[in-house]
Amino acid sequence: MHLKTRILDSRLGNEFPLPAYATEGSAGLDLRAMLDEPLTLEPGQTQLLPTGLAIHLEDAGYAAMILPRSGLGHKHGIVLGNLVGLIDSDYQGQLMVSCWNRGNTTFTVEPGERIAQLVIVPVLQAKLDIVDSFDETDRGEGGFGSSGRS
Ligand SMILES: O=c1ccn([C@H]2C[C@H](O)[C@@H](COP(=O)(O)OP(=O)(O)OP(=O)(O)O)O2)c(=O)[nH]1
Ligand SMILES: [Mg+2]
């Protein structure tokens, strides 16, 4: 697909590469922290970081999700303050990343560092048909471990 993208920080495409799929099979485009100086995140701290990019998906049949990078999340505890970021198809503002240090050690984000990834996903907008009851299923209202653990 084609994605209308605005570059809001001129260092992107010059000093720092534009987002690109790293391999033919990559699902995510890495997003960079467009900081002016290194940012220290103490354990437990969360900061909203600019990416220098805006996208306009235009089509309600798509959304984008901002997801953590597995290496940063697993090794350094750097994940997202909102766990997952959901980008609406009509959003035109700068993509922002809520960066949360859920770990026990201080982490410094360097300017231009890849801090999260953007994944484009298909979306169905549902029309709600209001009913009084549902056709019976085996599960019914059972959930949250109702089927046991093993
Ligand atoms: O990690 C994120 C999450 C959201 N957004 C932007 C794009 C999205 O379309 C918009 C609104 O996000 P969401 O609907 O999740 O937030 P909200 O708290 O419901 O705000 P709003 O009232 O603006 O919808 O904020 C980001 O830039 N980064
Ligand atoms: Mg919202």
Side-chain angles (χ1 to χ4, degrees):
M1 73 172 287
H2 293 266
L3 179 60
K4 283 188 184 153
T5 305
R6 291 181 64 212
I7 297 169
L8 307 176
D9 187 316
S10 59
R11 290 175 296 174
L12 277 175
N14 292 300
E15 196 179 330
F16 304 117
L18 283 172
Y21 293 101
T23 64
E24 210 180 319
S26 292
L29 293 164
D30 284 340
L31 297 173
R32 295 176 185 274
M34 298 311 293
L35 302 166
D36 291 328
E37 51 194 38
L39 174 85
T40 301
L41 280 179
E42 301 296 339
Q45 222 189 337
T46 307
Q47 281 276 348
L48 199 57
L49 308 185
T51 64
L53 282 179
I55 61 169
H56 185 201
L57 287 158
E58 293 184 294
D59 181 339
Y62 294 104
M65 301 219 266
I66 298 179
L67 301 175
R69 293 185 66 208
S70 56
L72 283 183
H74 181 69
K75 294 184 199 152
H76 303 285
I78 298 300
V79 293
L80 304 176
N82 48 353
L83 304 188
V84 173
L86 181 62
I87 312 303
D88 298 288
S89 69
D90 52 358
Y91 180 70
Q92 300 180 323
Q94 179 163 205
L95 295 176
M96 302 296 291
V97 174
S98 172
C99 211
W100 172 31
N101 182 357
R102 63 151 186 81
N104 308 316
T105 51
T106 301
F107 185 86
T108 302
V109 183
E110 299 295 335
E113 183 164 359
R114 292 173 297 145
I115 33 140
Q117 52 188 330
L118 185 78
V119 179
I120 313 288
V121 292
V123 167
L124 288 176
Q125 280 188 343
K127 188 164 169 47
L128 303 189
D129 293 336
I130 308 300
V131 296
D132 289 329
S133 60
F134 298 125
D135 292 343
E136 193 180 313
T137 65
D138 288 342
R139 173 177 289 277
E141 295 184 9
F144 298 91
S146 66
S147 66
R149 278 188 61 177
S150 57

